[in-house]
Amino acid sequence: MAVREIMIYPEQKAELRRKSDPVMGNKRPVRRLIRDLKDTLQASSDGIGLAAPQINVHQRVVIVCPGSEKDGQWEAGPPVALINPQIVEASDEGKDFDGCLSFPGLYGETIRPHHLRVTGLDEEGQPIDRVFEGFNAVLVHHEIDHLDGVLFIDRIEKLEDLYRLTVNADGELVRVPVSDKLQLDSSL
Ligand code: NI
């Protein structure tokens, strides 16, 4: 088990904003990186995806947990790795729920494609050509963004679409709008 430290915004902004490099040949370090990403994701309470730069490794590897609808609720599936993922088709843009392990407690409605076709390699190094639909497309798009230093706060339409979740006096989970720009990023 190798749980790694997750880079947090804005403290580790420089690491999160750095562009990642394509993964080359040598298989053992890549397998180790995938294992570390899976272990780190599993140790997080509510993560459904993780990208290598989030553990300060600037290589184009992400882990996603594509899921399915069960009784109208989306449920995450088992984690899969995508190596050197490339988006070859993206359409059906719309607002959907978003959040990120590098922004603990912060959520929002981002605009992302709901149809995504991705090529690259699977964790055995075999070529893949996969289509993701609905929230799975949102999830995969979010993780691939990380490889280019793009974060979910960049994908919102307006600041009011971001919120924190907190428990009120009645024990209910409520949304608290992020009113102060500076809490996030002076450039947002
Ligand atoms: Ni993220």
Side-chain angles (χ1 to χ4, degrees):
M1 186 96 171
V3 174
R4 308 271 294 264
E5 184 201 345
I6 294 180
M7 302 289 104
I8 299 297
Y9 193 93
E11 291 81 1
Q12 284 137 331
K13 184 175 172 176
E15 289 83 349
L16 288 165
R17 287 297 190 188
R18 226 176 99 191
K19 216 173 143 77
S20 293
D21 297 318
V23 169
M24 299 298 180
N26 205 341
K27 281 181 178 172
R28 196 174 290 180
V30 179
R31 247 185 257 135
R32 198 202 150 122
L33 170 60
I34 290 171
R35 204 189 55 212
D36 286 359
L37 283 166
K38 285 185 178 175
D39 287 347
T40 306
L41 181 60
Q42 200 168 31
S44 77
S45 55
D46 59 355
I48 51 175
L50 191 66
Q54 289 180 279
I55 59 167
N56 208 13
V57 176
H58 292 85
Q59 297 190 341
R60 302 187 78 85
V61 178
V62 302
I63 301 293
V64 288
C65 301
S68 53
E69 294 281 337
K70 273 180 196 151
D71 304 322
Q73 280 275 78
W74 185 87
E75 253 181 59
V80 293
L82 303 174
I83 300 170
N84 298 339
Q86 265 203 305
I87 296 171
V88 291
E89 270 174 42
S91 58
D92 297 345
E93 280 211 339
K95 267 193 193 184
D96 212 325
F97 174 80
D98 215 333
C100 183
L101 289 173
S102 295
F103 294 79
L106 188 70
Y107 302 92
E109 309 282 325
T110 54
I111 301 171
R112 293 189 188 276
H114 286 68
H115 168 90
L116 206 63
R117 191 173 141 217
V118 175
T119 59
L121 302 174
D122 68 12
E123 55 188 278
E124 269 78 50
Q126 297 301 309
I128 52 155
D129 185 340
R130 233 181 124 168
V131 171
F132 298 93
E133 302 280 0
F135 189 66
N136 289 337
V138 171
L139 166 62
V140 172
H141 192 259
H142 174 124
E143 298 311 329
I144 294 177
D145 258 358
H146 273 296
L147 304 179
D148 295 313
V150 177
L151 303 170
F152 91 108
I153 53 170
D154 305 328
R155 297 281 187 191
I156 58 161
E157 196 175 52
K158 53 190 192 299
L159 197 64
E160 292 71 39
D161 288 337
L162 280 177
Y163 57 89
R164 293 187 182 279
L165 283 180
T166 186
V167 179
N168 71 9
D170 298 325
E172 296 160 340
L173 210 53
V174 289
R175 288 182 179 196
V176 179
V178 178
S179 49
D180 185 359
K181 262 188 193 194
L182 298 172
Q183 269 181 271
L184 275 175
D185 185 354
S186 52
S187 67
L188 188 73

